[in-house]
Amino acid sequence: MFTIKESTTKTVDVGGTPFTYREAGTAEGVPLVLLHHVTAMLDDWDPAVVDGLAAERRLILVNLRGVGGSGGTTPDSFEAMADDAVAFLKALGLGPVDLLGYSLGGIVAQVIAQEHPALVRRIILAATTPAGAPGPAATGAVLQAAIQKATSEGKHPKHYLFFEQSATGQAAADAFLARLDERTQDRDTPVSNETIGAQLTALTTWEKDTSPTGLASVEQPVLVVNGDNDTMWPTSGTIQLAQLLPNAKLAIYPDSGHGGIFQYHELFVQQALAFLRD
Amino acid sequence: MFTIKESTTKTVDVGGTPFTYREAGTAEGVPLVLLHHVTAMLDDWDPAVVDGLAAERRLILVNLRGVGGSGGTTPDSFEAMADDAVAFLKALGLGPVDLLGYSLGGIVAQVIAQEHPALVRRIILAATTPAGAPGPAATGAVLQAAIQKATSEGKHPKHYLFFEQSATGQAAADAFLARLDERTQDRDTPVSNETIGAQLTALTTWEKDTSPTGLASVEQPVLVVNGDNDTMWPTSGTIQLAQLLPNAKLAIYPDSGHGGIFQYHELFVQQALAFLRD
């Protein structure tokens, strides 16, 4: 096994566009593909979560089209993002795979599971929400408010977006952000405003979507996880997601928000590995 | 601190009726009072949970009226059970207290919180459900089916009632049942069929109750906990309970049922102590 900190950033050609990715973990077994959140690139994955999972799995972290060091222009629909993710998997000759989709990445994973079921073995959906549930359309406004607050208070926006405002929550935020800074070399490129704009358009469409019932066709086992007080996309959506999926397990962590899997990284890693191992 | 295994069964006079109880844990601090499930008496509390909590708290486990070694006849309403619990606390000169209500005990705790708010500081509600949610009225039928199955398969009914039927769930059941057998002396008296009948009547009334909105008046912090696949009283009721309480935290454990707090006793103890400590 090698850790994510030691992993160099690689590039694969996906239909003429270079997609960047990193690998960690064991060399064998069904790969676990990590799909990132809105505004995120490879450096935004918590090393505690990645290395915890890498103890047992082969991990692949990818920047979708137009994200971080990947080329091309980020599309403004989840169907297109899912097609890009599938094209990336095919370019690497992978499949079937396990998916871990966090937030926006969890929506991409939901679409992949519905459109390309043969490619997917098991799915972990963290801090995400089904089509039609409230939250995603307000993401732009919530990001803006967090950035303003962060600037005026000398903090990182994720202090507000991912964690509770309690002492415990803010200590977890500090620890999480320190872990993100552990990697000092071969850092990824921040996403552009154009990319964020396309992602926000896709999110607005997702909230207006009135057909979450496609989830009933997802036969794969799914582990659905979130904090109990997600202020970005309400935890009620996470719970609805678990109820819409025919074969879902649910884990909810108290005293935590959108970043619950980072705050409780040891517990999440333990539950995720047990779920993937079954 | 002393453990529950070392604790002798004590008796206190509650308005002319002897109530039996046991104590564990530290001598100081706000007491945590444990309220039992349907059919249960003092020996039904998992020593792993009790001793885990006793590491930081003063614990009091009580048999309500007509239960186990307590005298009197079990009433067939939760209002009367709550009044009995309050009279017991007063007889011991206790209050305000923290409550841990499991299953039926969680309903008693909900009623105490609504009727006697000044007596309660914090509340943990495990594997329980608000008035009007489905599950409680079918408890008698579910118990009967589990007892029949247990008899024919040489198992304990709790193998079916509290745990998943997976290998992991059944191993957790075996471990839980072994822990209940650790106490060899000063065992409690099994409950009578008359007591179970009264409890089942109260449960049927609870499910018919159309006014769970009284929970909106509960200002205390509440930790609501359950397994993600409770087949006795569906987990959706637990989630509804957390949504109805204005100041609730929620914890849901994957791969587990009504006995989730026993299956994940270490995690539950950790979360419960953090919640009570705050």
Side-chain angles (χ1 to χ4, degrees), chain A residues 228 236 239 243 249-255 267 271, chain B residues 228 239 243 249-255 267 271:
Chain A
D228 71 334
S236 55
I239 289 164
Q243 288 165 340
K249 297 173 193 290
L250 179 65
I252 298 289
Y253 307 144
D255 289 307
L267 176 59
Q271 291 177 338
Chain B
D228 72 334
I239 289 165
Q243 288 165 340
K249 296 172 194 289
L250 178 65
I252 298 288
Y253 306 144
D255 289 305
L267 177 59
Q271 292 177 337

mmCIF file with all atom_site columns, all heavy atoms in Angstrom, chain A residues 228 236 239 243 249-255 267 271, chain B residues 228 239 243 249-255 267 271:
data_model
loop_
_atom_site.group_PDB
_atom_site.id
_atom_site.type_symbol
_atom_site.label_atom_id
_atom_site.label_alt_id
_atom_site.label_comp_id
_atom_site.label_asym_id
_atom_site.label_entity_id
_atom_site.label_seq_id
_atom_site.pdbx_PDB_ins_code
_atom_site.Cartn_x
_atom_site.Cartn_y
_atom_site.Cartn_z
_atom_site.occupancy
_atom_site.B_iso_or_equiv
_atom_site.pdbx_formal_charge
_atom_site.auth_seq_id
_atom_site.auth_comp_id
_atom_site.auth_asym_id
_atom_site.auth_atom_id
_atom_site.pdbx_PDB_model_num
ATOM 1   N N   . ASP A 1 228 ? -25.625 14.739 11.054 1.00 0.00 ? 228 ASP A N   1
ATOM 2   C CA  . ASP A 1 228 ? -27.055 14.906 11.375 1.00 0.00 ? 228 ASP A CA  1
ATOM 3   C C   . ASP A 1 228 ? -27.552 16.332 11.164 1.00 0.00 ? 228 ASP A C   1
ATOM 4   O O   . ASP A 1 228 ? -28.751 16.578 11.236 1.00 0.00 ? 228 ASP A O   1
ATOM 5   C CB  . ASP A 1 228 ? -27.356 14.455 12.812 1.00 0.00 ? 228 ASP A CB  1
ATOM 6   C CG  . ASP A 1 228 ? -26.786 15.388 13.870 1.00 0.00 ? 228 ASP A CG  1
ATOM 7   O OD1 . ASP A 1 228 ? -25.783 16.090 13.589 1.00 0.00 ? 228 ASP A OD1 1
ATOM 8   O OD2 . ASP A 1 228 ? -27.328 15.404 14.988 1.00 0.00 ? 228 ASP A OD2 1
ATOM 9   N N   . SER A 1 236 ? -32.225 15.691 5.834  1.00 0.00 ? 236 SER A N   1
ATOM 10  C CA  . SER A 1 236 ? -33.480 15.025 5.442  1.00 0.00 ? 236 SER A CA  1
ATOM 11  C C   . SER A 1 236 ? -33.385 14.480 4.011  1.00 0.00 ? 236 SER A C   1
ATOM 12  O O   . SER A 1 236 ? -33.975 13.443 3.704  1.00 0.00 ? 236 SER A O   1
ATOM 13  C CB  . SER A 1 236 ? -34.659 15.995 5.566  1.00 0.00 ? 236 SER A CB  1
ATOM 14  O OG  . SER A 1 236 ? -34.411 17.173 4.818  1.00 0.00 ? 236 SER A OG  1
ATOM 15  N N   . ILE A 1 239 ? -31.524 11.201 4.072  1.00 0.00 ? 239 ILE A N   1
ATOM 16  C CA  . ILE A 1 239 ? -32.392 10.135 4.581  1.00 0.00 ? 239 ILE A CA  1
ATOM 17  C C   . ILE A 1 239 ? -33.382 9.700  3.505  1.00 0.00 ? 239 ILE A C   1
ATOM 18  O O   . ILE A 1 239 ? -33.626 8.505  3.310  1.00 0.00 ? 239 ILE A O   1
ATOM 19  C CB  . ILE A 1 239 ? -33.084 10.616 5.876  1.00 0.00 ? 239 ILE A CB  1
ATOM 20  C CG1 . ILE A 1 239 ? -32.037 10.694 7.000  1.00 0.00 ? 239 ILE A CG1 1
ATOM 21  C CG2 . ILE A 1 239 ? -34.244 9.708  6.253  1.00 0.00 ? 239 ILE A CG2 1
ATOM 22  C CD1 . ILE A 1 239 ? -32.467 11.485 8.195  1.00 0.00 ? 239 ILE A CD1 1
ATOM 23  N N   . GLN A 1 243 ? -33.994 6.065  1.614  1.00 0.00 ? 243 GLN A N   1
ATOM 24  C CA  . GLN A 1 243 ? -35.323 5.443  1.518  1.00 0.00 ? 243 GLN A CA  1
ATOM 25  C C   . GLN A 1 243 ? -35.685 5.131  0.061  1.00 0.00 ? 243 GLN A C   1
ATOM 26  O O   . GLN A 1 243 ? -36.401 4.174  -0.207 1.00 0.00 ? 243 GLN A O   1
ATOM 27  C CB  . GLN A 1 243 ? -36.373 6.358  2.161  1.00 0.00 ? 243 GLN A CB  1
ATOM 28  C CG  . GLN A 1 243 ? -36.241 6.391  3.694  1.00 0.00 ? 243 GLN A CG  1
ATOM 29  C CD  . GLN A 1 243 ? -37.010 7.531  4.355  1.00 0.00 ? 243 GLN A CD  1
ATOM 30  O OE1 . GLN A 1 243 ? -37.354 8.520  3.714  1.00 0.00 ? 243 GLN A OE1 1
ATOM 31  N NE2 . GLN A 1 243 ? -37.262 7.401  5.658  1.00 0.00 ? 243 GLN A NE2 1
ATOM 32  N N   . LYS A 1 249 ? -27.972 1.024  3.081  1.00 0.00 ? 249 LYS A N   1
ATOM 33  C CA  . LYS A 1 249 ? -27.688 1.078  4.504  1.00 0.00 ? 249 LYS A CA  1
ATOM 34  C C   . LYS A 1 249 ? -27.468 2.547  4.841  1.00 0.00 ? 249 LYS A C   1
ATOM 35  O O   . LYS A 1 249 ? -26.952 3.299  4.005  1.00 0.00 ? 249 LYS A O   1
ATOM 36  C CB  . LYS A 1 249 ? -26.417 0.310  4.844  1.00 0.00 ? 249 LYS A CB  1
ATOM 37  C CG  . LYS A 1 249 ? -26.515 -1.182 4.546  1.00 0.00 ? 249 LYS A CG  1
ATOM 38  C CD  . LYS A 1 249 ? -25.155 -1.845 4.741  1.00 0.00 ? 249 LYS A CD  1
ATOM 39  C CE  . LYS A 1 249 ? -25.127 -3.237 4.151  1.00 0.00 ? 249 LYS A CE  1
ATOM 40  N NZ  . LYS A 1 249 ? -25.945 -4.220 4.880  1.00 0.00 ? 249 LYS A NZ  1
ATOM 41  N N   . LEU A 1 250 ? -27.813 2.938  6.061  1.00 0.00 ? 250 LEU A N   1
ATOM 42  C CA  . LEU A 1 250 ? -27.719 4.346  6.433  1.00 0.00 ? 250 LEU A CA  1
ATOM 43  C C   . LEU A 1 250 ? -26.854 4.525  7.673  1.00 0.00 ? 250 LEU A C   1
ATOM 44  O O   . LEU A 1 250 ? -26.966 3.762  8.633  1.00 0.00 ? 250 LEU A O   1
ATOM 45  C CB  . LEU A 1 250 ? -29.127 4.893  6.712  1.00 0.00 ? 250 LEU A CB  1
ATOM 46  C CG  . LEU A 1 250 ? -29.239 6.362  7.144  1.00 0.00 ? 250 LEU A CG  1
ATOM 47  C CD1 . LEU A 1 250 ? -28.787 7.312  6.024  1.00 0.00 ? 250 LEU A CD1 1
ATOM 48  C CD2 . LEU A 1 250 ? -30.673 6.689  7.565  1.00 0.00 ? 250 LEU A CD2 1
ATOM 49  N N   . ALA A 1 251 ? -25.975 5.508  7.621  1.00 0.00 ? 251 ALA A N   1
ATOM 50  C CA  . ALA A 1 251 ? -25.202 5.895  8.809  1.00 0.00 ? 251 ALA A CA  1
ATOM 51  C C   . ALA A 1 251 ? -25.311 7.396  8.974  1.00 0.00 ? 251 ALA A C   1
ATOM 52  O O   . ALA A 1 251 ? -25.057 8.149  8.031  1.00 0.00 ? 251 ALA A O   1
ATOM 53  C CB  . ALA A 1 251 ? -23.740 5.487  8.654  1.00 0.00 ? 251 ALA A CB  1
ATOM 54  N N   . ILE A 1 252 ? -25.716 7.833  10.169 1.00 0.00 ? 252 ILE A N   1
ATOM 55  C CA  . ILE A 1 252 ? -25.815 9.264  10.468 1.00 0.00 ? 252 ILE A CA  1
ATOM 56  C C   . ILE A 1 252 ? -24.965 9.535  11.707 1.00 0.00 ? 252 ILE A C   1
ATOM 57  O O   . ILE A 1 252 ? -25.059 8.812  12.700 1.00 0.00 ? 252 ILE A O   1
ATOM 58  C CB  . ILE A 1 252 ? -27.286 9.673  10.729 1.00 0.00 ? 252 ILE A CB  1
ATOM 59  C CG1 . ILE A 1 252 ? -28.147 9.438  9.484  1.00 0.00 ? 252 ILE A CG1 1
ATOM 60  C CG2 . ILE A 1 252 ? -27.370 11.132 11.189 1.00 0.00 ? 252 ILE A CG2 1
ATOM 61  C CD1 . ILE A 1 252 ? -27.899 10.389 8.328  1.00 0.00 ? 252 ILE A CD1 1
ATOM 62  N N   . TYR A 1 253 ? -24.137 10.576 11.614 1.00 0.00 ? 253 TYR A N   1
ATOM 63  C CA  . TYR A 1 253 ? -23.237 10.914 12.716 1.00 0.00 ? 253 TYR A CA  1
ATOM 64  C C   . TYR A 1 253 ? -23.757 12.147 13.457 1.00 0.00 ? 253 TYR A C   1
ATOM 65  O O   . TYR A 1 253 ? -24.049 13.171 12.822 1.00 0.00 ? 253 TYR A O   1
ATOM 66  C CB  . TYR A 1 253 ? -21.835 11.215 12.177 1.00 0.00 ? 253 TYR A CB  1
ATOM 67  C CG  . TYR A 1 253 ? -21.263 10.116 11.299 1.00 0.00 ? 253 TYR A CG  1
ATOM 68  C CD1 . TYR A 1 253 ? -20.478 10.418 10.206 1.00 0.00 ? 253 TYR A CD1 1
ATOM 69  C CD2 . TYR A 1 253 ? -21.511 8.782  11.570 1.00 0.00 ? 253 TYR A CD2 1
ATOM 70  C CE1 . TYR A 1 253 ? -19.940 9.419  9.399  1.00 0.00 ? 253 TYR A CE1 1
ATOM 71  C CE2 . TYR A 1 253 ? -20.990 7.773  10.770 1.00 0.00 ? 253 TYR A CE2 1
ATOM 72  C CZ  . TYR A 1 253 ? -20.205 8.097  9.685  1.00 0.00 ? 253 TYR A CZ  1
ATOM 73  O OH  . TYR A 1 253 ? -19.685 7.109  8.893  1.00 0.00 ? 253 TYR A OH  1
ATOM 74  N N   . PRO A 1 254 ? -23.864 12.075 14.770 1.00 0.00 ? 254 PRO A N   1
ATOM 75  C CA  . PRO A 1 254 ? -24.371 13.224 15.529 1.00 0.00 ? 254 PRO A CA  1
ATOM 76  C C   . PRO A 1 254 ? -23.354 14.366 15.549 1.00 0.00 ? 254 PRO A C   1
ATOM 77  O O   . PRO A 1 254 ? -22.167 14.158 15.276 1.00 0.00 ? 254 PRO A O   1
ATOM 78  C CB  . PRO A 1 254 ? -24.578 12.650 16.931 1.00 0.00 ? 254 PRO A CB  1
ATOM 79  C CG  . PRO A 1 254 ? -23.611 11.522 17.027 1.00 0.00 ? 254 PRO A CG  1
ATOM 80  C CD  . PRO A 1 254 ? -23.485 10.954 15.636 1.00 0.00 ? 254 PRO A CD  1
ATOM 81  N N   . ASP A 1 255 ? -23.827 15.571 15.874 1.00 0.00 ? 255 ASP A N   1
ATOM 82  C CA  . ASP A 1 255 ? -22.928 16.725 16.078 1.00 0.00 ? 255 ASP A CA  1
ATOM 83  C C   . ASP A 1 255 ? -22.082 17.032 14.869 1.00 0.00 ? 255 ASP A C   1
ATOM 84  O O   . ASP A 1 255 ? -20.916 17.424 15.019 1.00 0.00 ? 255 ASP A O   1
ATOM 85  C CB  . ASP A 1 255 ? -21.947 16.451 17.239 1.00 0.00 ? 255 ASP A CB  1
ATOM 86  C CG  . ASP A 1 255 ? -22.633 16.469 18.570 1.00 0.00 ? 255 ASP A CG  1
ATOM 87  O OD1 . ASP A 1 255 ? -23.313 17.458 18.845 1.00 0.00 ? 255 ASP A OD1 1
ATOM 88  O OD2 . ASP A 1 255 ? -22.492 15.495 19.317 1.00 0.00 ? 255 ASP A OD2 1
ATOM 89  N N   . LEU A 1 267 ? -14.412 6.466  12.123 1.00 0.00 ? 267 LEU A N   1
ATOM 90  C CA  . LEU A 1 267 ? -15.678 5.726  12.096 1.00 0.00 ? 267 LEU A CA  1
ATOM 91  C C   . LEU A 1 267 ? -16.133 5.495  10.661 1.00 0.00 ? 267 LEU A C   1
ATOM 92  O O   . LEU A 1 267 ? -16.540 4.386  10.293 1.00 0.00 ? 267 LEU A O   1
ATOM 93  C CB  . LEU A 1 267 ? -16.737 6.518  12.874 1.00 0.00 ? 267 LEU A CB  1
ATOM 94  C CG  . LEU A 1 267 ? -18.154 5.962  12.895 1.00 0.00 ? 267 LEU A CG  1
ATOM 95  C CD1 . LEU A 1 267 ? -18.189 4.565  13.492 1.00 0.00 ? 267 LEU A CD1 1
ATOM 96  C CD2 . LEU A 1 267 ? -19.077 6.889  13.684 1.00 0.00 ? 267 LEU A CD2 1
ATOM 97  N N   . GLN A 1 271 ? -16.721 1.906  8.792  1.00 0.00 ? 271 GLN A N   1
ATOM 98  C CA  . GLN A 1 271 ? -18.016 1.505  8.234  1.00 0.00 ? 271 GLN A CA  1
ATOM 99  C C   . GLN A 1 271 ? -17.915 1.279  6.723  1.00 0.00 ? 271 GLN A C   1
ATOM 100 O O   . GLN A 1 271 ? -18.525 0.351  6.188  1.00 0.00 ? 271 GLN A O   1
ATOM 101 C CB  . GLN A 1 271 ? -19.073 2.566  8.555  1.00 0.00 ? 271 GLN A CB  1
ATOM 102 C CG  . GLN A 1 271 ? -19.407 2.624  10.046 1.00 0.00 ? 271 GLN A CG  1
ATOM 103 C CD  . GLN A 1 271 ? -20.407 3.714  10.389 1.00 0.00 ? 271 GLN A CD  1
ATOM 104 O OE1 . GLN A 1 271 ? -20.570 4.681  9.652  1.00 0.00 ? 271 GLN A OE1 1
ATOM 105 N NE2 . GLN A 1 271 ? -21.070 3.558  11.522 1.00 0.00 ? 271 GLN A NE2 1
ATOM 106 N N   . ASP B 1 228 ? -30.186 1.152  11.478 1.00 0.00 ? 228 ASP B N   1
ATOM 107 C CA  . ASP B 1 228 ? -30.799 1.633  10.234 1.00 0.00 ? 228 ASP B CA  1
ATOM 108 C C   . ASP B 1 228 ? -31.894 0.718  9.705  1.00 0.00 ? 228 ASP B C   1
ATOM 109 O O   . ASP B 1 228 ? -32.584 1.074  8.759  1.00 0.00 ? 228 ASP B O   1
ATOM 110 C CB  . ASP B 1 228 ? -29.735 1.857  9.144  1.00 0.00 ? 228 ASP B CB  1
ATOM 111 C CG  . ASP B 1 228 ? -29.153 0.551  8.588  1.00 0.00 ? 228 ASP B CG  1
ATOM 112 O OD1 . ASP B 1 228 ? -29.162 -0.467 9.316  1.00 0.00 ? 228 ASP B OD1 1
ATOM 113 O OD2 . ASP B 1 228 ? -28.681 0.557  7.446  1.00 0.00 ? 228 ASP B OD2 1
ATOM 114 N N   . ILE B 1 239 ? -36.398 8.584  12.965 1.00 0.00 ? 239 ILE B N   1
ATOM 115 C CA  . ILE B 1 239 ? -35.974 9.791  12.252 1.00 0.00 ? 239 ILE B CA  1
ATOM 116 C C   . ILE B 1 239 ? -37.031 10.882 12.405 1.00 0.00 ? 239 ILE B C   1
ATOM 117 O O   . ILE B 1 239 ? -36.721 12.049 12.641 1.00 0.00 ? 239 ILE B O   1
ATOM 118 C CB  . ILE B 1 239 ? -35.684 9.440  10.779 1.00 0.00 ? 239 ILE B CB  1
ATOM 119 C CG1 . ILE B 1 239 ? -34.396 8.606  10.718 1.00 0.00 ? 239 ILE B CG1 1
ATOM 120 C CG2 . ILE B 1 239 ? -35.573 10.689 9.921  1.00 0.00 ? 239 ILE B CG2 1
ATOM 121 C CD1 . ILE B 1 239 ? -34.166 7.901  9.410  1.00 0.00 ? 239 ILE B CD1 1
ATOM 122 N N   . GLN B 1 243 ? -36.883 14.657 14.076 1.00 0.00 ? 243 GLN B N   1
ATOM 123 C CA  . GLN B 1 243 ? -37.342 15.856 13.361 1.00 0.00 ? 243 GLN B CA  1
ATOM 124 C C   . GLN B 1 243 ? -38.384 16.625 14.173 1.00 0.00 ? 243 GLN B C   1
ATOM 125 O O   . GLN B 1 243 ? -38.485 17.847 14.063 1.00 0.00 ? 243 GLN B O   1
ATOM 126 C CB  . GLN B 1 243 ? -37.905 15.453 11.987 1.00 0.00 ? 243 GLN B CB  1
ATOM 127 C CG  . GLN B 1 243 ? -36.791 15.026 11.011 1.00 0.00 ? 243 GLN B CG  1
ATOM 128 C CD  . GLN B 1 243 ? -37.293 14.291 9.788  1.00 0.00 ? 243 GLN B CD  1
ATOM 129 O OE1 . GLN B 1 243 ? -38.400 13.750 9.783  1.00 0.00 ? 243 GLN B OE1 1
ATOM 130 N NE2 . GLN B 1 243 ? -36.472 14.233 8.748  1.00 0.00 ? 243 GLN B NE2 1
ATOM 131 N N   . LYS B 1 249 ? -30.210 15.654 18.362 1.00 0.00 ? 249 LYS B N   1
ATOM 132 C CA  . LYS B 1 249 ? -29.098 15.136 17.564 1.00 0.00 ? 249 LYS B CA  1
ATOM 133 C C   . LYS B 1 249 ? -29.480 13.714 17.171 1.00 0.00 ? 249 LYS B C   1
ATOM 134 O O   . LYS B 1 249 ? -30.166 13.030 17.927 1.00 0.00 ? 249 LYS B O   1
ATOM 135 C CB  . LYS B 1 249 ? -27.814 15.088 18.388 1.00 0.00 ? 249 LYS B CB  1
ATOM 136 C CG  . LYS B 1 249 ? -27.322 16.449 18.839 1.00 0.00 ? 249 LYS B CG  1
ATOM 137 C CD  . LYS B 1 249 ? -26.162 16.284 19.817 1.00 0.00 ? 249 LYS B CD  1
ATOM 138 C CE  . LYS B 1 249 ? -25.858 17.577 20.544 1.00 0.00 ? 249 LYS B CE  1
ATOM 139 N NZ  . LYS B 1 249 ? -25.250 18.599 19.696 1.00 0.00 ? 249 LYS B NZ  1
ATOM 140 N N   . LEU B 1 250 ? -28.999 13.281 16.005 1.00 0.00 ? 250 LEU B N   1
ATOM 141 C CA  . LEU B 1 250 ? -29.393 11.958 15.505 1.00 0.00 ? 250 LEU B CA  1
ATOM 142 C C   . LEU B 1 250 ? -28.164 11.111 15.222 1.00 0.00 ? 250 LEU B C   1
ATOM 143 O O   . LEU B 1 250 ? -27.189 11.597 14.647 1.00 0.00 ? 250 LEU B O   1
ATOM 144 C CB  . LEU B 1 250 ? -30.220 12.122 14.226 1.00 0.00 ? 250 LEU B CB  1
ATOM 145 C CG  . LEU B 1 250 ? -30.692 10.848 13.527 1.00 0.00 ? 250 LEU B CG  1
ATOM 146 C CD1 . LEU B 1 250 ? -31.681 10.078 14.390 1.00 0.00 ? 250 LEU B CD1 1
ATOM 147 C CD2 . LEU B 1 250 ? -31.334 11.181 12.175 1.00 0.00 ? 250 LEU B CD2 1
ATOM 148 N N   . ALA B 1 251 ? -28.213 9.867  15.643 1.00 0.00 ? 251 ALA B N   1
ATOM 149 C CA  . ALA B 1 251 ? -27.173 8.903  15.283 1.00 0.00 ? 251 ALA B CA  1
ATOM 150 C C   . ALA B 1 251 ? -27.856 7.648  14.754 1.00 0.00 ? 251 ALA B C   1
ATOM 151 O O   . ALA B 1 251 ? -28.748 7.102  15.405 1.00 0.00 ? 251 ALA B O   1
ATOM 152 C CB  . ALA B 1 251 ? -26.310 8.556  16.486 1.00 0.00 ? 251 ALA B CB  1
ATOM 153 N N   . ILE B 1 252 ? -27.451 7.213  13.546 1.00 0.00 ? 252 ILE B N   1
ATOM 154 C CA  . ILE B 1 252 ? -28.001 5.989  12.954 1.00 0.00 ? 252 ILE B CA  1
ATOM 155 C C   . ILE B 1 252 ? -26.836 5.062  12.637 1.00 0.00 ? 252 ILE B C   1
ATOM 156 O O   . ILE B 1 252 ? -25.838 5.486  12.049 1.00 0.00 ? 252 ILE B O   1
ATOM 157 C CB  . ILE B 1 252 ? -28.797 6.301  11.668 1.00 0.00 ? 252 ILE B CB  1
ATOM 158 C CG1 . ILE B 1 252 ? -30.000 7.207  11.973 1.00 0.00 ? 252 ILE B CG1 1
ATOM 159 C CG2 . ILE B 1 252 ? -29.248 5.017  10.972 1.00 0.00 ? 252 ILE B CG2 1
ATOM 160 C CD1 . ILE B 1 252 ? -31.140 6.548  12.715 1.00 0.00 ? 252 ILE B CD1 1
ATOM 161 N N   . TYR B 1 253 ? -26.972 3.808  13.053 1.00 0.00 ? 253 TYR B N   1
ATOM 162 C CA  . TYR B 1 253 ? -25.908 2.835  12.841 1.00 0.00 ? 253 TYR B CA  1
ATOM 163 C C   . TYR B 1 253 ? -26.278 1.890  11.683 1.00 0.00 ? 253 TYR B C   1
ATOM 164 O O   . TYR B 1 253 ? -27.372 1.321  11.686 1.00 0.00 ? 253 TYR B O   1
ATOM 165 C CB  . TYR B 1 253 ? -25.686 2.007  14.111 1.00 0.00 ? 253 TYR B CB  1
ATOM 166 C CG  . TYR B 1 253 ? -25.437 2.844  15.348 1.00 0.00 ? 253 TYR B CG  1
ATOM 167 C CD1 . TYR B 1 253 ? -25.937 2.444  16.583 1.00 0.00 ? 253 TYR B CD1 1
ATOM 168 C CD2 . TYR B 1 253 ? -24.716 4.034  15.284 1.00 0.00 ? 253 TYR B CD2 1
ATOM 169 C CE1 . TYR B 1 253 ? -25.715 3.200  17.724 1.00 0.00 ? 253 TYR B CE1 1
ATOM 170 C CE2 . TYR B 1 253 ? -24.491 4.794  16.412 1.00 0.00 ? 253 TYR B CE2 1
ATOM 171 C CZ  . TYR B 1 253 ? -24.991 4.376  17.628 1.00 0.00 ? 253 TYR B CZ  1
ATOM 172 O OH  . TYR B 1 253 ? -24.774 5.136  18.755 1.00 0.00 ? 253 TYR B OH  1
ATOM 173 N N   . PRO B 1 254 ? -25.370 1.713  10.726 1.00 0.00 ? 254 PRO B N   1
ATOM 174 C CA  . PRO B 1 254 ? -25.680 0.824  9.606  1.00 0.00 ? 254 PRO B CA  1
ATOM 175 C C   . PRO B 1 254 ? -25.686 -0.652 10.032 1.00 0.00 ? 254 PRO B C   1
ATOM 176 O O   . PRO B 1 254 ? -25.166 -0.989 11.103 1.00 0.00 ? 254 PRO B O   1
ATOM 177 C CB  . PRO B 1 254 ? -24.535 1.094  8.626  1.00 0.00 ? 254 PRO B CB  1
ATOM 178 C CG  . PRO B 1 254 ? -23.399 1.537  9.475  1.00 0.00 ? 254 PRO B CG  1
ATOM 179 C CD  . PRO B 1 254 ? -24.015 2.283  10.637 1.00 0.00 ? 254 PRO B CD  1
ATOM 180 N N   . ASP B 1 255 ? -26.292 -1.497 9.214  1.00 0.00 ? 255 ASP B N   1
ATOM 181 C CA  . ASP B 1 255 ? -26.248 -2.956 9.444  1.00 0.00 ? 255 ASP B CA  1
ATOM 182 C C   . ASP B 1 255 ? -26.792 -3.371 10.791 1.00 0.00 ? 255 ASP B C   1
ATOM 183 O O   . ASP B 1 255 ? -26.262 -4.310 11.404 1.00 0.00 ? 255 ASP B O   1
ATOM 184 C CB  . ASP B 1 255 ? -24.802 -3.476 9.384  1.00 0.00 ? 255 ASP B CB  1
ATOM 185 C CG  . ASP B 1 255 ? -24.250 -3.443 7.988  1.00 0.00 ? 255 ASP B CG  1
ATOM 186 O OD1 . ASP B 1 255 ? -24.886 -4.028 7.099  1.00 0.00 ? 255 ASP B OD1 1
ATOM 187 O OD2 . ASP B 1 255 ? -23.196 -2.833 7.790  1.00 0.00 ? 255 ASP B OD2 1
ATOM 188 N N   . LEU B 1 267 ? -19.423 2.407  20.323 1.00 0.00 ? 267 LEU B N   1
ATOM 189 C CA  . LEU B 1 267 ? -19.753 3.648  19.628 1.00 0.00 ? 267 LEU B CA  1
ATOM 190 C C   . LEU B 1 267 ? -20.877 4.386  20.352 1.00 0.00 ? 267 LEU B C   1
ATOM 191 O O   . LEU B 1 267 ? -20.801 5.605  20.567 1.00 0.00 ? 267 LEU B O   1
ATOM 192 C CB  . LEU B 1 267 ? -20.169 3.322  18.187 1.00 0.00 ? 267 LEU B CB  1
ATOM 193 C CG  . LEU B 1 267 ? -20.629 4.479  17.311 1.00 0.00 ? 267 LEU B CG  1
ATOM 194 C CD1 . LEU B 1 267 ? -19.548 5.537  17.174 1.00 0.00 ? 267 LEU B CD1 1
ATOM 195 C CD2 . LEU B 1 267 ? -21.043 3.959  15.933 1.00 0.00 ? 267 LEU B CD2 1
ATOM 196 N N   . GLN B 1 271 ? -20.714 8.111  22.025 1.00 0.00 ? 271 GLN B N   1
ATOM 197 C CA  . GLN B 1 271 ? -21.589 9.210  21.603 1.00 0.00 ? 271 GLN B CA  1
ATOM 198 C C   . GLN B 1 271 ? -22.472 9.688  22.756 1.00 0.00 ? 271 GLN B C   1
ATOM 199 O O   . GLN B 1 271 ? -22.708 10.897 22.904 1.00 0.00 ? 271 GLN B O   1
ATOM 200 C CB  . GLN B 1 271 ? -22.458 8.758  20.419 1.00 0.00 ? 271 GLN B CB  1
ATOM 201 C CG  . GLN B 1 271 ? -21.641 8.530  19.143 1.00 0.00 ? 271 GLN B CG  1
ATOM 202 C CD  . GLN B 1 271 ? -22.467 8.021  17.979 1.00 0.00 ? 271 GLN B CD  1
ATOM 203 O OE1 . GLN B 1 271 ? -23.529 7.438  18.176 1.00 0.00 ? 271 GLN B OE1 1
ATOM 204 N NE2 . GLN B 1 271 ? -21.974 8.224  16.767 1.00 0.00 ? 271 GLN B NE2 1
#
